[in-house]
Amino acid sequence: MATPDFIRDLRVTAGHQLLWLPGVTAVVFDDEGRVLLGRRSDNGRWSLVGGIPEPGEQPAACAVREVEEETAVRCVVERLVLAQALTPVTYENGDVCQFMDITFRCRAVGGEARVNDDESLEVGWFAVDALPELGEFGQTRIKLALSDAPAWFEPAGS
Protein backbone atom coordinates (compact mmCIF):
# COMPACT_ATOMS: atom_id res chain seq x y z
CA MET A 1 0.00 0.00 0.00
CA ALA A 2 1.21 3.47 -0.75
CA THR A 3 2.66 5.30 2.23
CA PRO A 4 1.48 8.92 2.38
CA ASP A 5 4.21 11.54 1.97
CA PHE A 6 3.58 13.02 5.42
CA ILE A 7 4.33 9.64 7.03
CA ARG A 8 7.53 9.26 4.98
CA ASP A 9 8.55 12.71 6.25
CA LEU A 10 7.82 11.68 9.86
CA ARG A 11 9.86 8.51 9.46
CA VAL A 12 12.97 10.57 8.60
CA THR A 13 13.15 11.73 12.23
CA ALA A 14 11.03 9.07 13.99
CA GLY A 15 12.80 6.07 12.51
CA HIS A 16 10.91 2.83 13.00
CA GLN A 17 9.31 3.79 16.33
CA LEU A 18 5.58 3.45 16.88
CA LEU A 19 3.43 6.00 15.08
CA TRP A 20 -0.17 6.44 16.30
CA LEU A 21 -2.25 7.17 13.21
CA PRO A 22 -5.87 7.62 12.20
CA GLY A 23 -7.28 5.17 9.67
CA VAL A 24 -10.66 4.89 7.99
CA THR A 25 -12.60 1.94 6.64
CA ALA A 26 -15.54 2.25 4.25
CA VAL A 27 -18.30 -0.36 4.12
CA VAL A 28 -19.93 0.60 0.82
CA PHE A 29 -23.30 -0.84 -0.21
CA ASP A 30 -25.01 -0.48 -3.58
CA ASP A 31 -28.76 -0.32 -4.24
CA GLU A 32 -28.90 -4.13 -4.37
CA GLY A 33 -27.39 -4.45 -0.88
CA ARG A 34 -24.07 -5.75 -2.16
CA VAL A 35 -20.82 -4.72 -0.49
CA LEU A 36 -17.77 -3.33 -2.32
CA LEU A 37 -14.49 -5.19 -1.77
CA GLY A 38 -11.01 -4.98 -3.19
CA ARG A 39 -8.38 -7.71 -3.43
CA ARG A 40 -5.24 -6.05 -2.09
CA SER A 41 -2.08 -6.00 -4.17
CA ASP A 42 0.19 -6.28 -1.11
CA ASN A 43 -1.20 -9.55 0.28
CA GLY A 44 -3.74 -10.83 -2.28
CA ARG A 45 -6.58 -10.86 0.26
CA TRP A 46 -10.06 -9.42 -0.15
CA SER A 47 -10.83 -6.48 2.12
CA LEU A 48 -12.94 -3.41 2.65
CA VAL A 49 -11.62 -0.14 1.24
CA GLY A 50 -9.67 2.01 3.66
CA GLY A 51 -6.82 4.42 4.09
CA ILE A 52 -5.11 7.13 6.10
CA PRO A 53 -6.47 10.67 6.25
CA GLU A 54 -4.16 13.43 5.12
CA PRO A 55 -3.34 16.00 7.82
CA GLY A 56 -6.45 18.11 8.41
CA GLU A 57 -8.71 15.85 6.32
CA GLN A 58 -11.97 14.84 7.96
CA PRO A 59 -12.33 11.04 8.36
CA ALA A 60 -15.60 10.86 6.37
CA ALA A 61 -14.04 12.85 3.51
CA CYS A 62 -11.10 10.45 3.56
CA ALA A 63 -13.45 7.45 3.25
CA VAL A 64 -15.13 8.97 0.19
CA ARG A 65 -11.76 9.87 -1.37
CA GLU A 66 -10.22 6.43 -0.75
CA VAL A 67 -13.22 4.60 -2.23
CA GLU A 68 -13.07 6.66 -5.42
CA GLU A 69 -9.26 6.51 -5.69
CA GLU A 70 -9.15 2.74 -5.27
CA THR A 71 -12.36 1.61 -7.01
CA ALA A 72 -13.73 4.50 -9.15
CA VAL A 73 -16.99 4.24 -7.17
CA ARG A 74 -18.45 7.48 -5.87
CA CYS A 75 -20.14 7.20 -2.49
CA VAL A 76 -21.65 9.20 0.34
CA VAL A 77 -21.18 8.48 4.03
CA GLU A 78 -24.39 7.50 5.81
CA ARG A 79 -23.22 6.94 9.37
CA LEU A 80 -20.40 6.10 11.73
CA VAL A 81 -20.21 2.36 12.37
CA LEU A 82 -17.25 1.90 14.69
CA ALA A 83 -14.27 3.57 16.37
CA GLN A 84 -11.57 1.16 17.55
CA ALA A 85 -7.90 1.28 18.49
CA LEU A 86 -6.22 -1.60 16.66
CA THR A 87 -3.19 -3.55 17.81
CA PRO A 88 0.22 -2.30 16.62
CA VAL A 89 1.49 -3.58 13.26
CA THR A 90 5.16 -4.08 12.40
CA TYR A 91 5.86 -3.87 8.67
CA GLU A 92 8.58 -5.75 6.79
CA ASN A 93 10.87 -2.71 6.86
CA GLY A 94 10.60 -2.49 10.69
CA ASP A 95 8.19 0.47 10.83
CA VAL A 96 5.62 0.17 13.62
CA CYS A 97 2.16 1.77 13.42
CA GLN A 98 -0.96 1.61 15.51
CA PHE A 99 -4.20 2.78 13.94
CA MET A 100 -7.37 4.26 15.36
CA ASP A 101 -9.84 2.81 12.87
CA ILE A 102 -12.95 4.83 12.13
CA THR A 103 -15.41 2.80 10.06
CA PHE A 104 -18.26 4.33 8.06
CA ARG A 105 -21.29 2.85 6.34
CA CYS A 106 -21.44 4.34 2.84
CA ARG A 107 -23.83 4.23 -0.09
CA ALA A 108 -22.65 4.10 -3.70
CA VAL A 109 -24.00 6.97 -5.81
CA GLY A 110 -22.09 6.55 -9.07
CA GLY A 111 -19.14 5.16 -10.96
CA GLU A 112 -18.40 1.62 -12.07
CA ALA A 113 -16.37 -0.61 -9.76
CA ARG A 114 -12.92 -1.26 -11.26
CA VAL A 115 -9.29 -1.31 -10.26
CA ASN A 116 -8.43 2.38 -10.19
CA ASP A 117 -4.90 2.40 -8.71
CA ASP A 118 -2.05 0.05 -7.84
CA GLU A 119 -3.42 -0.88 -4.39
CA SER A 120 -5.88 -3.50 -5.71
CA LEU A 121 -5.67 -6.53 -7.99
CA GLU A 122 -9.46 -6.77 -8.35
CA VAL A 123 -12.53 -4.93 -7.08
CA GLY A 124 -16.13 -6.00 -7.09
CA TRP A 125 -19.57 -6.07 -5.57
CA PHE A 126 -20.53 -9.09 -3.44
CA ALA A 127 -23.78 -10.25 -1.94
CA VAL A 128 -23.44 -10.28 1.84
CA ASP A 129 -24.30 -14.00 1.90
CA ALA A 130 -21.72 -14.81 -0.82
CA LEU A 131 -18.55 -13.00 0.26
CA PRO A 132 -15.12 -14.21 -0.75
CA GLU A 133 -12.78 -15.28 2.07
CA LEU A 134 -12.66 -12.23 4.31
CA GLY A 135 -10.92 -11.76 7.65
CA GLU A 136 -12.66 -11.05 10.94
CA PHE A 137 -11.87 -7.33 10.59
CA GLY A 138 -14.04 -7.04 7.46
CA GLN A 139 -16.72 -9.46 8.57
CA THR A 140 -17.25 -7.61 11.85
CA ARG A 141 -17.49 -4.23 10.14
CA ILE A 142 -19.96 -5.47 7.53
CA LYS A 143 -22.14 -7.02 10.26
CA LEU A 144 -22.11 -3.77 12.26
CA ALA A 145 -22.81 -1.68 9.14
CA LEU A 146 -25.87 -3.80 8.39
CA SER A 147 -27.31 -3.32 11.87
CA ASP A 148 -29.26 -0.32 13.09
CA ALA A 149 -27.32 -0.33 16.36
CA PRO A 150 -25.45 2.78 17.50
CA ALA A 151 -21.79 3.11 16.56
CA TRP A 152 -19.66 0.45 18.25
CA PHE A 153 -16.78 1.34 20.55
CA GLU A 154 -14.79 -0.48 23.21
CA PRO A 155 -16.39 0.50 26.54
CA ALA A 156 -14.17 2.33 29.04
CA GLY A 157 -12.53 0.03 31.55
CA SER A 158 -12.65 -3.02 29.25
Side-chain angles (χ1 to χ4, degrees):
M1 306 273 89
T3 302
D5 290 338
F6 81 93
I7 293 176
R8 282 196 205 98
D9 293 344
L10 281 172
R11 286 289 181 205
V12 170
T13 55
H16 297 299
Q17 72 178 309
L18 174 73
L19 292 182
W20 173 246
L21 299 168
V24 301
T25 302
V27 184
V28 184
F29 294 102
D30 67 5
D31 291 339
E32 297 174 37
R34 299 176 301 173
V35 66
L36 181 65
L37 300 176
R39 194 163 66 83
R40 297 171 57 114
S41 60
D42 62 346
N43 62 21
R45 296 184 184 131
W46 287 98
S47 69
L48 296 166
V49 176
I52 300 170
E54 295 291 328
E57 183 179 31
Q58 292 295 328
C62 175
V64 169
R65 175 180 56 78
E66 289 287 347
V67 169
E68 188 164 9
E69 283 179 0
E70 294 181 26
T71 70
V73 171
R74 293 184 313 280
C75 69
V76 295
V77 171
E78 294 183 323
R79 71 178 182 87
L80 177 68
V81 170
L82 166 150
Q84 181 182 35
L86 304 179
T87 58
V89 176
T90 302
Y91 294 95
E92 287 183 15
N93 67 357
D95 288 351
V96 182
C97 293
Q98 185 171 11
F99 293 95
M100 170 61 71
D101 179 57
I102 304 164
T103 298
F104 296 98
R105 177 188 167 110
C106 303
R107 179 175 40 85
V109 294
E112 294 293 324
R114 63 177 169 82
V115 174
N116 203 38
D117 66 11
D118 62 355
E119 295 187 33
S120 299
L121 300 172
E122 299 177 70
V123 298
W125 294 104
F126 294 88
V128 175
D129 62 355
L131 296 172
E133 186 175 332
L134 192 63
E136 181 181 342
F137 181 94
Q139 290 178 27
T140 298
R141 280 150 178 77
I142 292 168
K143 178 181 172 187
L144 290 170
L146 288 168
S147 81
D148 289 328
W152 183 93
F153 57 92
E154 187 75 31
S158 294

